[in-house]
């Protein structure tokens, strides 16, 4: 069977925070003993290579972009030692960008010294130590992975990379040409590539850069493009104390809002499917109140925290087409979710899936009055009726399904007692709770593993496996059951309507920088009109 490879692209600082957690989750789940049965086909996201000295490497099939000064201790060569860097074609001899020397935190020093046993047992102070996404990055990358934008300095207020037009211009420069060459090289290495994962910050210049790339991929390759436009959980200008700061924050909010609206409109033209993500309830103007997850305590102002939640969702959602026992492809998922031109879907996450350690799944589903998941799509309340959804559940053992026959008692009166596995029971649950809806459920045996450096954001009320404890004895949470879903239906029209309404209130005359960088008023208005037209795809098609 072919590998059905995926190439992952990451654009932007917060998206790289999410990506660092995502690749940590992958790499820390590898089994080098050969004794653990793997559920995922890691070759879908990883590629095998060889160094100039003949050493075999296994690195993410990944290209990422970030600004100068954002890498801290990670060299632009990807982090492998110079003697280990893979040999490549001549295009790899482009100018090297040397990052200023930075001191490594204790976690990175232990990785560097290959003290893997220490990492498992040690307590690190990453909440204070993490200043950028490379400060908790476990894997090392291929030499072509890291792409530094040297025209802009990370954290520079005077020359900030805030406008989608800036990103568009950058894509049309040598940077875009070099980046597309690297894409071509990765694709040529694949036996049967199934498509592209694209995570990008949709509120700043990285939106334009990513959209330029997506348009290129659409023209050049006939493969699926699954995009996650991501909104950060917090912005530095959210905390205002003076009138001047308030005015600056309002202007930046407007810029972010325009970038996001332009992103959604262009994705509706070029992506196969796209799913906006944010741990804030609102997502624009201000990210808003943090989404609430039972038994998780996280700080939205710490990207290290909030990005781990989104990474966990992406990892869980992608299990459907990375699972060894599943024959679905990314193309199948996109086709299932995007009927009637509804290319934008919502995502949800229930982490942990909060079942009591002494409770059976049948009783939990029968008695719970809370939703099983929380929306992680901004300004989006997921409907319960007239929807199509792909649900992935992981980490609930079959032993938790129902009581044995001799102990079943009242359980035997429930229709769900006839279910013989976790998949059937969830299918019955959604069939009973979602009117005029279609649900496809994927079940993975293994839970989400929460190994260091995953942040310690879980409640003391959980046991080491992420189930709610019956005894008050402190335990470190090592893994947890998770439920996540893609959802689509006419309810998505509300989000588009809110976005269109809010961005339409901004007068183009106030968008000086957009105009200076090439955005014409006629083109801007046309984009807003297309956004309104895209909403029409979500009109109710059901007849009762």
């Amino acid at each position: 069977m072919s590998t059905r490879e995926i190439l992952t692209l990451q654009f932007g600082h917060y998206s790289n925070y999410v990506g660092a957690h995502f690749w940590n989750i992958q790499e820390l789940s590898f089994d080098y003993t050969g004794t653990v049965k793997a559920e995922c086909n890691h070759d879908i996201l990883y590629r095998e290579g060889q160094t100039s000295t003949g050493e075999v490497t296994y690195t993410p099939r990944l290209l990422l972009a970030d600004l100068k000064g954002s890498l801290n201790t990670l060299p632009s060569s990807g982090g492998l030692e110079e003697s280990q860097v893979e040999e490549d074609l001549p295009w790899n001899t482009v100018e090297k960008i040397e990052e200023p020397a930075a001191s490594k935190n204790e976690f990175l020093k232990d990785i560097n010294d290959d003290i893997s046993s220490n990492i498992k047992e040690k307590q690190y102070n990453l909440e204070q130590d993490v200043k950028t996404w490379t400060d908790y990055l476990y894997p090392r990358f291929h030499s072509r992975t890291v792409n530094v934008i040297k025209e802009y300095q990370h954290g520079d207020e005077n020359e900030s990379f805030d406008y989608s037009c800036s990103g568009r211009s950058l894509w049309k420069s040598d940077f875009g040409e070099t980046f597309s060459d690297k894409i071509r090289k990765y694709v040529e290495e694949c036996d049967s590539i199934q498509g592209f994962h694209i995570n990008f910050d949709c509120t700043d210049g990285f939106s334009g850069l990513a959209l330029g790339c997506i348009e290129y991929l659409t023209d050049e390759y006939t493969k699926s493009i699954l995009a996650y436009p991501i909104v950060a959980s917090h912005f530095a200008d959210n905390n205002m104390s003076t009138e001047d700061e308030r005015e600056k924050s309002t202007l930046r909010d407007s810029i972010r809002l325009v970038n996001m609206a332009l992103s959604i409109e262009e994705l509706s033209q070029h992506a196969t499917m796209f799913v906006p993500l944010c741990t804030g309830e609102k997502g624009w103007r201000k990210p808003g109140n943090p989404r609430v997850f039972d038994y998780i305590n996280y700080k939205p102002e710490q990207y290290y925290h909030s990005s781990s939640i989104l990474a966990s969702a992406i990892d869980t959602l992608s299990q459907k087409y990375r699972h060894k026992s599943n024959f679905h492809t990314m193309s199948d998922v996109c086709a299932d979710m995007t009927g009637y031109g509804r290319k934008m879907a919502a995502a949800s996450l229930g982490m942990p899936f909060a079942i009591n350690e002494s409770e059976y799944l049948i009783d939990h589903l029968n008695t719970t009055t809370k939703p099983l998941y929380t929306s992680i799509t901004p300004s989006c309340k997921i409907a319960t009726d007239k929807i199509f959804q792909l649900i992935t559940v992981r980490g609930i053992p079959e032993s938790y399904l129902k009581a044995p026959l001799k102990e079943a008692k009242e359980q035997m009166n429930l229709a769900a007692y006839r279910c013989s596995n976790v998949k059937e029971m969830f299918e019955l649950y959604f069939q009973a709770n979602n009117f005029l809806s279609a649900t496809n459920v994927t079940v993975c045996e293994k839970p989400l593993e929460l190994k260091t450096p995953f942040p310690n954001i879980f409640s003391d009320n959980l046991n080491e496996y992420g189930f709610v404890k019956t005894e008050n004895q402190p335990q470190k949470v090592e893994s947890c059951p998770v439920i996540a879903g893609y959802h689509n239906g006419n309810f998505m029209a509300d989000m588009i309507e809110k976005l269109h309404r809010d961005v339409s209130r901004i007068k183009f005359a106030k968008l000086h920088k957009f105009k200076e960088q090439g955005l014409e008023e006629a083109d801007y208005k046309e984009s807003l009109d297309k956004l309104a037209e895209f909403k029409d795809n979500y009109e109710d098609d059901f007849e009762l």
Side-chain angles (χ1 to χ4, degrees):
M1 190 175 73
S2 63
T3 300
R4 301 178 304 178
E5 302 93 342
I6 291 172
L7 173 58
T8 304
L9 309 175
Q10 293 168 195
F11 298 93
H13 198 60
Y14 187 71
S15 291
N16 284 325
Y17 264 87
V18 176
H21 279 300
F22 178 83
W23 296 112
N24 285 350
I25 290 169
Q26 310 315 307
E27 200 120 338
L28 290 165
S29 68
F30 289 172
D31 170 53
Y32 298 101
T33 66
T35 58
V36 179
K37 182 183 173 184
E39 285 188 299
C40 265
N41 180 357
H42 293 297
D43 291 338
I44 290 175
L45 294 179
Y46 277 71
R47 44 96 61 197
E48 192 174 296
Q50 198 173 54
T51 68
S52 55
T53 58
E55 187 178 343
V56 174
T57 61
Y58 197 56
T59 51
R61 191 178 293 103
L62 167 68
L63 291 172
L64 65 86
D66 211 332
L67 303 183
K68 183 173 61 176
S70 62
L71 300 185
N72 202 14
T73 60
L74 179 70
S76 56
S77 60
L80 293 172
E81 298 299 324
E82 284 301 317
S83 61
Q84 295 179 309
V85 173
E86 294 183 30
E87 288 191 308
D88 234 321
L89 293 179
W91 54 256
N92 196 41
T93 60
V94 294
E95 177 193 359
K96 277 193 173 183
I97 299 150
E98 294 296 332
E99 295 291 328
S103 59
K104 292 185 176 182
N105 60 44
E106 195 173 0
F107 171 72
L108 294 179
K109 285 177 183 174
D110 283 352
I111 294 176
N112 198 55
D113 295 338
D114 200 21
I115 311 176
S116 54
S117 58
N118 263 19
I119 291 170
K120 291 177 184 175
E121 305 299 329
K122 224 172 185 180
Q123 294 292 320
Y124 295 98
N125 196 16
L126 289 170
E127 269 77 10
Q128 277 70 45
D129 290 346
V130 169
K131 303 293 186 288
T132 186
W133 56 272
T134 64
D135 289 336
Y136 59 92
L137 181 69
Y138 184 83
R140 291 299 172 255
F141 295 142
H142 184 278
S143 55
R144 74 176 80 119
T145 288
V146 179
N147 298 270
V148 178
I149 298 170
K150 50 184 189 289
E151 289 86 350
Y152 295 89
Q153 178 74 32
H154 177 67
D156 187 344
E157 293 291 323
N158 299 319
E159 278 296 324
S160 53
F161 192 50
D162 287 344
Y163 300 87
S164 59
C165 310
S166 305
R168 276 287 190 177
S169 300
L170 188 65
W171 180 258
K172 293 172 184 175
S173 71
D174 291 345
F175 182 92
E177 190 174 330
T178 303
F179 201 91
S180 54
D181 274 346
K182 293 181 178 184
I183 291 172
R184 176 185 56 78
K185 178 62 178 173
Y186 268 130
V187 172
E188 286 174 353
E189 291 174 351
C190 298
D191 292 326
S192 60
I193 187 168
Q194 59 174 307
F196 304 91
H197 266 172
I198 303 179
N199 308 329
F200 71 95
D201 294 3
C202 67
T203 56
D204 57 23
F206 285 104
S207 62
L209 183 63
L211 291 163
C213 181
I214 289 170
E215 193 170 348
Y216 161 79
L217 294 174
T218 305
D219 293 340
E220 196 71 20
Y221 305 98
T222 55
K223 300 297 178 183
S224 297
I225 298 171
L226 173 53
Y228 293 103
I230 299 176
V231 181
S233 54
H234 179 80
F235 295 103
D237 58 90
N238 287 168
N239 300 324
M240 308 157 293
S241 57
T242 67
E243 190 59 38
D244 184 50
E245 287 177 352
R246 198 167 286 110
E247 284 181 17
K248 286 180 180 177
S249 179
T250 300
L251 176 60
R252 288 184 174 175
D253 277 339
S254 297
I255 293 166
R256 290 192 284 259
L257 180 59
V258 170
N259 288 330
M260 187 177 183
L262 295 175
S263 297
I264 299 296
E265 186 276 313
E266 289 205 48
L267 287 168
S268 72
Q269 308 293 323
H270 300 297
T272 313
M273 171 177 158
F274 64 100
V275 186
L277 299 179
C278 183
T279 59
E281 287 182 357
K282 290 167 66 177
W284 61 82
R285 280 298 177 193
K286 296 284 183 292
N289 294 327
R291 297 283 189 185
V292 175
F293 301 89
D294 289 342
Y295 304 102
I296 285 185
N297 305 303
Y298 71 102
K299 298 175 182 176
E301 65 275 12
Q302 285 199 12
Y303 285 2
Y304 168 61
H305 279 190
S306 62
S307 60
S308 70
I309 294 170
L310 296 185
S312 302
I314 294 172
D315 178 62
T316 302
L317 291 166
S318 63
Q319 294 288 319
K320 187 169 186 67
Y321 46 87
R322 295 196 288 133
H323 216 254
K324 284 185 174 178
S325 62
N326 208 321
F327 294 98
H328 283 84
T329 64
M330 193 165 73
S331 178
D332 295 331
V333 169
C334 293
D336 287 346
M337 288 301 302
T338 56
Y340 307 106
R342 297 173 172 182
K343 289 187 176 184
M344 183 170 73
S348 67
L349 179 68
M351 184 175 84
F353 184 82
I355 185 171
N356 194 291
E357 64 182 355
S358 60
E359 186 180 23
Y360 287 108
L361 179 63
I362 186 172
D363 295 324
H364 180 80
L365 294 178
N366 186 51
T367 58
T368 187
T369 56
K370 292 182 175 181
L372 301 185
Y373 46 68
T374 298
S375 172
I376 50 173
T377 292
S379 288
C380 181
K381 183 179 180 182
I382 298 169
T384 54
D385 300 332
K386 295 192 274 190
I387 57 174
F388 189 89
Q389 53 191 0
L390 299 179
I391 302 291
T392 301
V393 180
R394 66 196 300 186
I396 300 178
E398 293 291 339
S399 59
Y400 273 64
L401 184 66
K402 58 186 179 181
L405 197 58
K406 60 184 179 182
E407 301 170 16
K409 299 179 183 176
E410 290 84 1
Q411 286 184 9
M412 295 182 65
N413 298 324
L414 302 173
Y417 195 78
R418 294 194 291 273
C419 296
S420 58
N421 55 50
V422 171
K423 178 179 170 69
E424 287 180 8
M425 193 167 287
F426 272 101
E427 286 173 340
L428 183 62
Y429 172 85
F430 286 112
Q431 183 182 333
N433 285 276
N434 298 140
F435 177 65
L436 279 179
S437 300
T439 304
N440 180 290
V441 177
T442 297
V443 171
C444 305
E445 181 183 333
K446 293 186 181 300
L448 175 70
E449 294 188 15
L450 304 167
K451 295 180 179 177
T452 304
F454 200 94
N456 184 21
I457 55 177
F458 291 89
S459 165
D460 292 338
N461 294 324
L462 300 177
N463 68 14
E464 63 181 309
Y465 305 110
F467 296 105
V468 182
K469 289 188 301 193
T470 51
E471 295 180 5
N472 190 20
Q473 188 176 353
Q475 290 176 283
K476 187 177 187 297
V477 183
E478 302 284 352
S479 64
C480 73
V482 176
I483 183 169
Y486 292 124
H487 314 263
N488 213 338
N490 60 306
F491 70 92
M492 294 295 297
D494 291 341
M495 176 196 167
I496 305 170
E497 173 63 34
K498 287 175 194 169
L499 182 62
H500 183 267
R501 184 177 63 240
D502 285 358
V503 77
S504 296
R505 290 171 177 161
I506 302 171
K507 291 182 170 58
F508 185 77
K510 292 186 176 181
L511 304 174
H512 306 296
K513 281 274 189 179
F514 282 98
K515 192 170 183 179
E516 285 172 19
Q517 299 191 30
L519 181 63
E520 298 293 334
E521 185 171 6
D523 294 334
Y524 176 68
K525 287 183 176 177
E526 185 182 358
S527 292
L528 296 191
D529 289 343
K530 285 181 179 177
L531 186 64
E533 289 170 16
F534 178 55
K535 181 183 78 79
D536 294 341
N537 294 334
Y538 294 86
E539 293 303 316
D540 199 338
D541 289 307
F542 292 89
E543 291 185 9
L544 301 180

